[in-house]
Amino acid sequence: MKQKWFVVLFAAFLSVSAAKAEPARIPFQYSELEVAGNSFWLKKWLLKDLKEISLKDVTGADQALLLTFPGAEFAYLNQQPAGSFKEISPEKFEWSFSDSNVDYSRTYEKSGESLIVSINVRFKKAAPPKAHLNLTAIATKDEKVSTDQELFYFTQGKIERHNINNSIDSTEVLTPLKWFGAGSNYFILAVQPEETAVDKLTVWSTGEKQAQASLQMPVTDNALRARFKVNFLPKRLDVLRAVDPSLDTTVDLGFFTIIAYPILWTLKFINGYVGNFGIAIIILTLIVKLLTFPLVVKSMKGMKKMAEFQPKMKALQEKYKDDKAALNAEMMQLMKQSGYNPMAGCLPMLLQMPIFFALYRVLYTAQELYGAPFAFWITDLSAKDPLYITPVLMSVVMFLQQKLTPPSPGMDPAQRKMMMFMPLIFGLFMLTTPAGLCVYMLVNAIASVVQQQYLNKKLGVPGNAASMATSF
C-alpha cells in the first residue's frame, strides 16, 4: 500500500534566553504555537510515523529568527517576554505589548503550510531609524546535517547559497528579494517579505561554522509595519512547489538536474507500487542497468578493438620512432583500414556518467528517504548503515570484480595495484553516506559483476577496460 506522508505545521516559537516564564500555548487546529520573547521560531514538523523535527535540528540556533532594534534604549524590545495574547479565530492569534515608549503587536495566522506573521510597532517618543529580522544558523552536532547547512536567498530569478561551514564574506543584497532562509539536507526555513519595505539583506559569518542573514527594514513615521510568510518545510519538490514554485530551487540535485528530475519521479513512481523505498532503489538500479546496457555493449566492443589495435600501433611506433609525421600518417591509415575509432570505447562510457552522478545526487538528497525503512537493520534510508554492512559488502564485491578482471594489455603494474585499492577507498567513503545510497552502490556493483562476466564470455573482451565499462 502506498505510503503517504502528512506534514503538519507547528508554528512560531518565541523564546527569550534570559526569561524563565512559562511560554503561552495557543491551540492551533493543526499546530502548537509557543510564545515567549521576540524570536520567531517555527518549532517542529510532525511527520507520520517519524520523530518530531525541531527547527534547531536544521538551523542549530535556539532563536533562529529574531526581530531587533538598534540602540541601547530599545534593547529590551529585542527579547520581550511580557505581553498578552488573545484569540482572534481558531487559527489566528495576536500578541501585544505596550509601555510608555511603544505599542507593539504581532499576529500569527496559519495559512496552508505557511505561518503569516504581521508586525506593527508604533514608537511614542524617539524611534530607531531601522529594524532587523535576523536569521541565525549554527553548525549542529549532527555531522550529516551540519555538512549541508546553508543560508540562501532568492533574487533576480535565482537562488544564491552560502554554506555556513565556509567563511562568508559580508554580502549585501540590494536587488529585489523574494525570500531568504536557512536549510539542511532535508528541511528548510524560508521567510518571504510581503507588503514590507526592505532596504537590504546582509549575509556574513558571525563565527566559526555559524552565519547570519539580516533583513534591514526602515522605520518610517515612528512606525514599523511588516508582514512575512514563514515556512518550515521538508525539501520535497511537491510540497515546496505547492507553497511557492521558486522554493524548489532549494533542492540541489547537482549539475545534471535535468536528468535527476525524471530519476526522482521514477523512484517515487516505483515506490507507489512496492511501498518500500529500499526495494524501489533496487528496482531503479536494475532499470538503469538495462537502459544503459546498449552503451556498455558498444563500449566493450570498442575496448575489444582497442586491445586488437594496440600491438599494431606499438609496431608502428617502433618502426617510425624517429619520424612523427610518417607515424601519424601510418596510424591514420591503419585506423581507417581496421575501422578503429579511439572514441568508440570511451564515449559510451562517458555518456553513462551523467546518469550515475544524477542518480547519486537523487539518493543523497531525496527527502522522501528521510526516515524511510528498508529491511532488517536498515530503518532509515537517509541515515548511514548503522552496522556498515552494505558499504563493506560493496567493497568486497568491487574487489571481486577487480580480481575476476585480467589486466589490460600494456597496463602498468603500479596502475594495476592502484586499481585494486579503489574498492577500499570507495568503501571508506560510503561508510557515512545515506544507507539508500549504499544500497544502490551495492546492487549496482553486483549487477556490474554479472553483466561483466556475461559480456566477457559473449564478446571476449580482456582487461580492466571491461570492468570500467560495466561499473556505472
Side-chain angles (χ1 to χ4, degrees):
M1 183 176 179
K2 183 175 181 180
Q3 184 184 40
K4 297 180 179 178
W5 291 12
F6 295 95
V7 182
V8 181
L9 179 64
F10 280 73
F13 179 68
L14 306 179
S15 66
V16 57
S17 58
K20 297 183 179 180
E22 180 69 16
R25 295 182 180 274
I26 302 176
F28 276 151
Q29 183 178 358
Y30 298 109
S31 308
E32 182 179 276
L33 179 61
E34 295 185 357
V35 181
N38 194 38
S39 75
F40 302 92
W41 181 13
L42 285 170
K43 189 183 177 187
K44 54 194 174 184
W45 283 90
L46 182 60
L47 296 156
K48 186 179 181 182
D49 300 327
L50 299 178
K51 65 178 182 179
E52 294 176 352
I53 307 302
S54 167
L55 182 59
K56 187 177 180 180
D57 296 333
V58 178
T59 64
D62 285 322
Q63 299 187 43
L65 275 173
L66 185 66
L67 181 66
T68 63
F69 302 92
E73 65 272 36
F74 305 109
Y76 75 104
L77 294 175
N78 296 345
Q79 292 182 327
Q80 179 53 255
S84 61
F85 279 88
K86 66 178 180 180
E87 179 179 342
I88 299 175
S89 71
E91 294 193 349
K92 185 175 182 180
F93 298 85
E94 182 182 65
W95 171 90
S96 60
F97 171 80
S98 183
D99 64 8
S100 60
N101 295 323
V102 67
D103 288 329
Y104 186 177
S105 68
R106 299 190 295 263
T107 60
Y108 306 89
E109 182 176 8
K110 183 177 180 295
S111 177
E113 301 292 349
S114 306
L115 181 73
I116 306 299
V117 181
S118 299
I119 302 168
N120 285 283
V121 185
R122 184 177 68 85
F123 295 91
K124 299 176 181 179
K125 301 176 182 178
K130 57 192 175 183
H132 294 95
L133 184 63
N134 301 319
L135 172 58
T136 301
I138 304 171
T140 69
K141 294 181 180 180
D142 187 334
E143 293 183 3
K144 175 65 179 64
V145 174
S146 65
T147 300
D148 299 288
Q149 278 182 276
E150 61 182 3
L151 291 175
F152 46 68
Y153 52 87
F154 193 89
T155 183
Q156 296 184 311
K158 64 179 181 178
I159 188 173
E160 298 290 343
R161 305 173 184 275
H162 297 278
N163 191 297
I164 69 169
N165 293 284
N166 304 324
S167 178
I168 305 172
D169 295 331
S170 182
T171 303
E172 290 189 347
V173 183
L174 302 175
T175 51
L177 183 76
K178 189 169 186 180
W179 44 260
F180 70 103
S184 63
N185 198 28
Y186 297 114
F187 295 88
I188 67 162
L189 169 69
V191 181
Q192 182 174 346
E194 294 187 331
E195 304 171 10
T196 301
V198 174
D199 289 335
K200 63 180 179 179
L201 177 74
T202 307
V203 181
W204 75 100
S205 289
T206 55
E208 185 179 358
K209 295 188 176 182
Q210 63 183 49
Q212 187 174 95
S214 181
L215 187 72
Q216 180 176 306
M217 301 166 287
V219 175
T220 57
D221 299 327
N222 278 26
L224 171 68
R225 294 178 179 84
R227 176 183 167 92
F228 301 97
K229 179 187 286 187
V230 186
N231 299 288
F232 182 25
L233 302 168
K235 290 172 76 170
R236 288 178 49 185
L237 292 175
D238 53 346
V239 174
L240 296 171
R241 288 168 178 169
V243 174
D244 189 309
S246 63
L247 287 174
D248 72 355
T249 58
T250 59
V251 180
D252 185 9
L253 291 175
F255 185 77
F256 299 105
T257 297
I258 193 171
I259 302 174
Y261 276 154
I263 289 176
L264 178 58
W265 181 90
T266 304
L267 178 66
K268 293 164 64 176
F269 178 81
I270 296 171
N271 180 68
Y273 284 93
V274 300
N276 184 302
F277 271 107
I279 296 174
I281 290 171
I282 294 173
I283 295 173
L284 177 62
T285 305
L286 297 177
I287 289 174
V288 171
K289 274 294 181 184
L290 288 174
L291 292 176
T292 57
F293 185 74
L295 291 175
V296 174
V297 173
K298 189 172 182 62
S299 180
M300 291 187 70
K301 286 181 177 179
M303 299 288 187
K304 182 179 180 181
K305 281 194 174 183
M306 180 176 68
E308 295 171 350
F309 182 78
Q310 279 185 339
K312 299 177 182 178
M313 183 177 65
K314 285 186 176 181
L316 288 176
Q317 288 173 338
E318 182 65 27
K319 183 177 180 179
Y320 297 101
K321 60 183 178 181
D322 297 324
D323 191 344
K324 290 186 177 181
L327 175 61
N328 290 334
E330 288 294 328
M331 287 181 64
M332 290 297 294
Q333 183 65 25
L334 178 61
M335 284 190 286
K336 186 177 180 180
Q337 291 176 351
S338 62
Y340 170 69
N341 183 351
M343 293 300 294
C346 299
L347 185 59
M349 187 168 60
L350 291 174
L351 291 175
Q352 296 177 68
M353 293 183 69
I355 300 174
F356 169 78
F357 287 123
L359 219 168
Y360 177 95
R361 193 64 191 173
V362 165
L363 296 177
Y364 181 82
T365 62
Q367 203 278 338
E368 286 80 357
L369 300 183
Y370 185 88
F374 175 31
F376 306 113
W377 68 96
I378 300 179
T379 57
D380 184 355
L381 287 166
S382 68
K384 67 180 182 181
D385 183 333
L387 302 181
Y388 305 110
I389 292 176
T390 49
V392 170
L393 284 178
M394 183 204 70
S395 293
V396 171
V397 173
M398 291 181 69
F399 182 77
L400 177 63
Q401 184 180 15
Q402 293 287 347
K403 293 293 287 184
L404 291 175
T405 305
S408 300
M411 174 176 277
D412 185 84
Q415 186 181 0
R416 172 68 175 173
K417 289 182 180 179
M418 184 177 178
M419 292 294 292
M420 297 299 291
F421 278 102
M422 290 302 292
L424 178 61
I425 295 172
F426 264 102
L428 292 174
F429 173 75
M430 298 299 292
L431 287 177
T432 57
T433 56
L437 191 55
C438 289
V439 170
Y440 157 69
M441 294 294 288
L442 174 59
V443 174
N444 183 72
I446 294 172
S448 295
V449 170
V450 174
Q451 184 176 260
Q452 178 185 330
Q453 295 307 304
Y454 169 75
L455 290 177
N456 279 352
K457 291 180 180 180
K458 184 177 181 180
L459 301 177
V461 181
N464 195 266
S467 173
M468 293 176 61
T470 58
S471 293
F472 296 109

